[in-house]
Amino acid sequence: MTNFPEGNALVYCEGAFHTTNGKTAHGLVRRTQRYRVLSVIDSNHRGKDAGAVLDGKPVGIPIYSGVEEAVQKAREQGKGVTHFVVGLAPDGGRLSPRGREDVKKAIQFGLNVDCGLHDILSEDEEIANLAKAHGVNIRDVRKPPPRGELHFFCGKIEEVDSLKIAVLGTDSAIGKRTTAWVLADACETAGLTVEVVGTGQTAWMQGTRYGLILDSLVVDFVTGEIEHAVWLAWKEKGPDVIIIEGQGSLLNPAYPGGLEILSAGRPEAVVLQHAPTRKEYDGFPGYTLHPLGTHKRAIEAVSETRVAAITVNHEGLDSASIHDASRRISLETGLPAVDVLVHGASDLLPHLTRFHPRVHRKYLGSLQKHFAAPKPTLEHLISFDALEIGPVRIANDRFKASYSVVKNGTVDTFELIYRFEEAVFDPDDNGSKNLAHLMAAQVAMNYALFCKRIVFHGPFDDHDTSFIREMTENTSREIYVKKLLEPNPFLIKGFPPTPVVKKRRYTSAKLEFPDKTPGTHTAPWNTWSDRFGVLLSGGKESLLSFGILDEIGNETHPLFVNESGRHWYTALNSYRFFRVHVPRTARVWTNSDRLFAWMLGHLPFVRHDFFDLRADDYPVRLWTVAVFLFGVLPLLKTRGIGAVVIGDEYDTTHVADFQGITHYDGLFDQSIFFDRALTDYFQKKGWNLSLFSILRPLSEFLVLRTLSERYPHLQKNQLSCHMAHIENGRAVPCGKCEKCHRIVSMLVSLGDDPTRFGYTEAQVQNCLGRLARTRLHQESAVSEHTRYLLAGMNRIEPQQNVLPHPEIEHLRFDDEGSPTDAVPEEIRKNVIEIQKNHASGALKKSGGLWISYDPIPDA
């Protein structure tokens, strides 16, 4: 192996250093292990610093006007010059007459010549004789190697178990090689071993240990040489990552390249370099550059390799425009985008290493060092710089909103979608625009602990910004306590390594509203208080809420929010029943669940296998109900619905304390405080809406009893399960999760048969058998009372200190969480009368004791 550096070099780039024809010189100025670069030769830029001309950053490499000046200056500084490196890469690879004369001058000064052009100088009789006379060497980097040294493709690439990444481009001379090196630097910084496989003359001049000169080869041997170079790098070094430099572009009419790398190099991922301001292929006016999306699709169509990231060439962009260009590209492609010359490539690694499980685990292990020692502040939770939402793009029946995570200049974008089955928006109406942007904002309110800025683009008014700030702060505190301080199986081992931090405010992010205008953006909504919308999830509470309201004769609209993933299975049976049997049933489709999962990928303290982890809770988010509630608001407006009902029972309103931090036990968006806050906000907006639950006096046990006894036609469609799945076209429960244990135990204690609801007999027995050692997420009195009843029925073994709690079979009223006036007066009497028919009576808390109570004394 050659010892680097080989010597001191002058890089020849006469007349081209400011153009793409100088790309070899550019590469050598930015980095090379093969030489110590003393200067660049280009009379157009005499007296300037090469780094300043190239990247705006001086690197201490001067530019001189000719060979004589460059050699003289080096000698004056006591530096011996050993190499004259041709840094030109013109179309066709030919040396100009001026260049030929300068090569001869360099030889006469006693300099060895390295040239990567198609002109083979060592076979030029005059130049070869001159070199011999002066005792110097000529290396023609593009000279075809002897046939006997070439390799034919044989399939040994399949042995390579490194993560292979190909850096391809949408054009030639666009920065592929530079990006490959920056990416290699990022790997090394992250503790990953890496090798770059060069495929052109410049990479060789920069000192790659492994590679080939692709355009010096006979076509028959191209794929074999690529395979051999990658295989040899793996065989000799065994690196975690091998980065393969691309050539040309797949669709370039003059320099088509990339297919051979995809075919022979078999990369797991592609990084695609793109210059957004470039309109035509380099050097070929009139040949329009194909759109970025076309290049991406072409790469993925001819290979089994995914394009995993876009790297941005900032030619023609000022510093302020780079972020906007990266965000547009990320939105267009759905991929992270970054200018690696400006921001580096470290934030691309999670998107690339995920294609190789072993390398990904090693990379994630390096991230955990960030959390290795306790820290007295919350700053170590900050995982990215900014989260940008919007602006929203609206159609009559849908909207799309971009979510962009920005970290060290890398922009990764996801598109949030809400889609309706009827027209609910007027794209030209300010009220529709305001409402859509509010809907889009809700998911973001979960992440203010984890970034420096959240930017809400769109027409927000004073009421909106006040509401978002208040609810975001409340959510930050709840997440800090319930998701970070309390045990959370979704967090990496050893997290959180921090003492409890007591603060007045827990939101780390600065909330920005660049398009905010004073005043109110919406006209008052025309709604009727006797029109009810019930937010239906397929669970027992929402089904009971609908059943009661429908029975007492109100115009009741069943409103389903259809998440795009498996969670929708819990509502599927109910939705199918309502769609056929209940007029006014409506469904909203959204991919908010995928957005939540996408956001988790940007939080390094969340386990990378969170999706496969079986748990009965969400990893981080606690502002969830609002995502669904705001999702149905356009239906409420269109249909004139004045009351929206959610199914929250007695035990969802808590005020708790964790080492001096007051919180709502992670249930704020299910509490009566949430109802009041949202109703207040809706009224301030002029929307004439109220939000409430009619079930707050009922325990979970009493909810299930009432549903079972009064509305069996609804109950048969109930599904409460964290891991529901489809069997024979119908959603069925898993029979294993905490919710299934809870439902099965209560159904059996009520004398009902769980097999009517999709459970097998084996699942029922398993749930009951594990009940004694299963921690149920329900009110402790309900859990203990259920166990007491089951023991009395000989369905489980009696347990010590398990006592009955007859109060949970009563309607329970208290002034804080379940006041009598939580239900509007117009329907209160009828609602409570129905509920009392299935309860053992009504109680009210007084001085810590439950006493008999008549909630409707005039009945």
Side-chain angles (χ1 to χ4, degrees):
M1 186 70 71
T2 303
N3 292 320
F4 293 152
E6 295 179 355
N8 297 332
L10 309 180
V11 176
Y12 182 74
C13 197
E14 175 57 35
F17 192 66
H18 62 294
T19 74
T20 55
N21 287 345
K23 67 177 184 177
T24 296
H26 300 165
L28 296 174
V29 167
R30 286 180 175 133
R31 75 167 67 216
T32 177
Q33 296 173 299
R34 189 174 293 276
Y35 320 102
R36 284 183 292 267
V37 175
L38 300 183
S39 62
V40 171
I41 296 171
D42 184 353
S43 58
N44 291 337
H45 295 283
R46 180 179 183 272
K48 299 177 182 178
D49 182 277
V53 173
L54 185 58
D55 296 318
K57 300 176 182 178
V59 294
I61 298 176
I63 301 178
Y64 296 122
S65 61
V67 179
E68 299 92 337
E69 183 183 18
V71 172
Q72 179 183 346
K73 292 292 184 180
R75 290 175 175 174
E76 288 175 358
Q77 296 169 14
K79 299 175 181 177
V81 185
T82 59
H83 289 75
F84 180 85
V85 181
V86 177
L88 295 165
D91 294 331
R94 304 302 303 275
L95 188 63
S96 68
R98 163 75 184 271
R100 178 183 170 82
E101 292 305 311
D102 284 335
V103 167
K104 290 162 62 177
K105 289 180 184 177
I107 292 173
Q108 291 166 350
F109 276 113
L111 307 185
N112 299 301
V113 176
D114 286 346
C115 180
L117 300 180
H118 286 303
D119 286 333
I120 308 301
L121 300 183
S122 60
E123 297 179 356
D124 182 302
E125 184 175 355
E126 179 185 9
I127 290 178
N129 288 336
L130 190 62
K132 183 177 181 181
H134 287 82
V136 300
N137 296 318
I138 297 175
R139 288 189 291 194
D140 288 299
V141 179
R142 263 180 170 164
K143 185 176 181 178
R147 296 291 174 87
E149 297 177 5
L150 297 176
H151 300 83
F152 198 78
F153 184 84
C154 65
K156 63 186 178 183
I157 191 69
E158 304 301 337
E159 300 174 21
V160 179
D161 69 353
S162 301
L163 167 62
K164 303 182 296 298
I165 301 169
V167 181
L168 306 184
T170 57
D171 196 7
S172 59
I174 204 167
K176 297 179 288 292
R177 183 194 61 258
T178 299
T179 291
W181 283 114
V182 176
L183 188 56
D185 291 342
C187 289
E188 290 183 343
T189 300
L192 301 175
T193 56
V194 61
E195 290 292 334
V196 174
V197 171
T199 56
Q201 71 273 14
T202 305
W204 181 91
M205 291 176 175
Q206 289 178 312
T208 53
R209 283 186 284 239
Y210 302 94
L212 60 144
I213 314 301
L214 193 146
D215 57 2
S216 73
L217 299 173
V218 175
V219 172
D220 280 0
F221 298 100
V222 167
T223 57
E225 284 297 290
I226 292 171
E227 177 190 47
H228 181 71
V230 175
W231 177 85
L232 191 63
W234 166 76
K235 188 70 173 178
E236 293 185 351
K237 296 296 182 179
D240 297 314
V241 181
I242 295 176
I243 301 171
I244 310 171
E245 174 202 7
Q247 291 292 322
S249 79
L250 203 62
L251 302 177
N252 189 303
Y255 306 113
L259 178 59
E260 61 285 301
I261 290 172
L262 294 169
S263 299
R266 315 292 286 178
E268 281 76 31
V270 167
V271 172
L272 184 58
Q273 179 87 1
H274 178 62
T277 62
R278 195 176 291 191
K279 305 302 181 185
E280 299 175 321
Y281 283 101
D282 181 54
F284 295 91
Y287 285 84
T288 303
L289 189 74
H290 291 83
L292 173 60
T294 302
H295 282 273
K296 176 179 178 293
R297 289 190 296 273
I299 289 168
E300 294 177 343
V302 300
S303 70
E304 297 177 355
T305 305
R306 293 282 302 277
V307 176
I310 308 297
T311 47
V312 179
N313 179 319
H314 59 234
E315 65 180 41
L317 296 172
D318 57 34
S319 58
S321 302
I322 294 173
H323 169 73
D324 292 338
S326 298
R327 191 164 188 247
R328 285 194 300 271
I329 289 170
S330 183
L331 178 60
E332 175 189 347
T333 62
L335 298 173
V338 62
D339 183 339
V340 298
L341 267 184
V342 176
H343 300 292
S346 61
D347 294 301
L348 293 181
L349 294 184
H351 304 280
L352 298 171
T353 59
R354 66 186 178 88
F355 288 92
H356 194 292
R358 175 183 60 80
V359 176
H360 193 53
R361 286 192 298 270
K362 183 175 181 180
Y363 168 72
L364 293 174
S366 71
L367 291 183
Q368 294 184 17
K369 297 176 182 178
H370 177 72
F371 306 107
K375 298 178 177 66
T377 70
L378 301 182
E379 292 181 0
H380 69 295
L381 296 175
I382 294 178
S383 303
F384 45 92
D385 298 321
L387 176 61
E388 293 190 47
I389 302 94
V392 172
R393 301 176 307 285
I394 306 173
N396 290 331
D397 62 347
R398 70 192 65 196
F399 77 75
K400 298 179 179 180
S402 59
Y403 264 63
S404 296
V405 169
V406 183
K407 183 178 181 183
N408 299 327
T410 299
V411 183
D412 193 16
T413 301
F414 183 95
E415 193 163 66
L416 172 66
I417 303 171
Y418 278 86
R419 187 170 65 234
F420 298 80
E421 296 176 328
E422 58 194 83
V424 294
F425 294 119
D426 176 354
D428 298 320
D429 174 60
N430 289 334
S432 288
K433 295 176 184 177
N434 175 244
L435 178 55
H437 282 86
L438 284 165
M439 294 167 63
Q442 301 307 307
V443 170
M445 293 157 67
N446 287 279
Y447 303 104
L449 270 171
F450 310 123
C451 60
K452 300 173 184 176
R453 300 165 54 234
I454 300 181
V455 183
F456 297 93
H457 293 284
F460 297 97
D461 62 30
D462 293 331
H463 298 309
D464 302 330
T465 58
S466 177
F467 171 77
I468 290 173
R469 292 184 192 281
E470 182 181 353
M471 295 299 105
T472 299
E473 170 56 26
N474 184 73
T475 303
S476 296
R477 183 182 63 253
E478 293 292 296
I479 289 174
Y480 177 58
V481 173
K482 299 299 295 184
K483 300 298 185 180
L484 302 180
L485 295 182
E486 293 188 1
N488 185 344
F490 290 98
L491 305 185
I492 60 175
K493 186 177 180 180
F495 186 88
T498 178
V500 175
V501 178
K502 300 177 185 178
K503 299 180 66 176
R504 187 177 66 86
R505 296 183 62 81
Y506 286 88
T507 296
S508 297
K510 178 183 178 183
L511 306 188
E512 300 178 10
F513 302 88
D515 309 312
K516 174 190 172 183
T517 55
T520 301
H521 291 291
T522 58
W525 291 6
N526 295 316
T527 64
W528 286 262
S529 60
D530 59 352
R531 287 185 185 174
F532 295 84
V534 179
L535 196 58
L536 277 154
S537 64
K540 57 190 179 301
E541 292 84 4
S542 61
L543 290 171
L544 180 58
S545 298
F546 174 83
I548 292 174
L549 291 170
D550 187 57
E551 181 182 346
I552 63 179
N554 295 106
E555 182 181 312
T556 307
H557 297 244
L559 308 176
F560 289 85
V561 178
N562 181 173
E563 290 184 288
S564 59
R566 291 171 58 107
H567 192 67
W568 170 241
Y569 291 167
T570 62
L572 183 58
N573 296 339
S574 291
Y575 172 70
R576 288 173 174 170
F577 171 83
F578 276 81
R579 183 183 59 189
V580 173
H581 299 287
V582 182
R584 300 182 291 270
T585 296
R587 177 175 61 168
V588 183
W589 184 93
T590 180
N591 63 347
S592 59
D593 53 332
R594 295 182 184 176
L595 173 55
F596 278 122
W598 180 82
M599 287 298 303
L600 291 177
H602 295 280
L603 302 178
F605 49 83
V606 173
R607 287 173 51 170
H608 73 280
D609 60 346
F610 66 87
F611 191 77
D612 299 321
L613 185 63
R614 189 182 189 93
D616 298 320
D617 207 350
Y618 296 120
V620 171
R621 57 167 151 152
L622 280 174
W623 186 254
T624 301
V625 174
V627 175
F628 306 135
L629 175 61
F630 274 76
V632 301
L633 289 182
L635 291 168
L636 306 185
K637 178 185 178 184
T638 302
R639 297 182 175 196
I641 298 170
V644 58
V645 177
I646 53 178
D648 293 320
E649 67 272 30
Y650 177 80
D651 68 337
T652 56
T653 298
H654 292 285
V655 178
D657 181 275
F658 185 94
Q659 298 187 29
I661 303 175
T662 302
H663 62 96
Y664 296 100
D665 206 22
L667 297 172
F668 178 79
D669 64 356
Q670 300 168 53
S671 72
I672 197 169
F673 307 118
F674 177 78
D675 297 352
R676 291 168 177 167
L678 271 292
T679 297
D680 181 63
Y681 169 63
F682 294 157
Q683 296 300 322
K684 288 178 179 177
K685 289 285 290 182
W687 289 351
N688 301 315
L689 287 176
S690 61
L691 171 69
F692 57 88
S693 169
I694 63 174
L695 305 181
R696 295 210 177 273
L698 282 69
S699 66
E700 185 180 21
F701 183 93
L702 190 52
V703 167
L704 193 56
R705 174 196 279 175
T706 307
L707 182 63
S708 177
E709 294 175 353
R710 196 171 194 96
Y711 308 110
H713 65 293
L714 298 178
Q715 188 196 16
K716 70 179 182 181
N717 298 295
Q718 178 211 335
L719 182 54
S720 300
C721 175
H722 290 290
M723 296 292 292
H725 58 285
I726 303 297
E727 289 184 8
N728 300 319
R730 185 173 173 84
V732 296
C734 71
K736 298 177 181 179
C737 69
E738 179 273 338
K739 273 191 175 181
C740 285
H741 283 77
R742 201 187 329 158
I743 296 299
V744 167
S745 64
M746 288 190 296
L747 284 171
V748 175
S749 72
L750 287 167
D752 210 335
D753 180 6
T755 62
R756 294 197 304 120
F757 309 103
Y759 295 98
T760 66
E761 187 59 41
Q763 289 174 333
V764 173
Q765 295 306 317
N766 179 65
C767 287
L768 295 177
R770 295 171 57 89
L771 190 59
R773 56 185 185 276
T774 300
R775 179 178 176 269
L776 301 180
H777 297 168
Q778 67 183 156
E779 183 184 1
S780 59
V782 173
S783 177
E784 191 168 342
H785 189 71
T786 302
R787 295 170 200 257
Y788 176 83
L789 293 176
L790 290 170
M793 300 167 65
N794 295 318
R795 296 305 301 267
I796 65 172
E797 292 293 325
Q799 297 173 256
Q800 290 185 344
N801 303 318
V802 173
L803 301 174
H805 290 269
E807 71 274 11
I808 67 106
E809 298 193 30
H810 292 68
L811 301 181
R812 288 177 290 171
F813 294 88
D814 69 63
D815 292 336
E816 182 178 74
S818 59
T820 308
D821 62 2
V823 177
E825 184 176 4
E826 296 80 4
I827 62 171
R828 187 181 308 153
K829 176 181 176 181
N830 290 333
V831 167
I832 292 176
E833 284 290 357
I834 290 174
Q835 294 170 345
K836 283 178 65 177
N837 287 333
H838 303 274
S840 299
L843 303 172
K844 186 172 185 179
K845 184 171 284 188
S846 176
L849 299 175
W850 290 109
I851 62 173
S852 181
Y853 175 65
D854 185 356
I856 44 175
D858 58 341

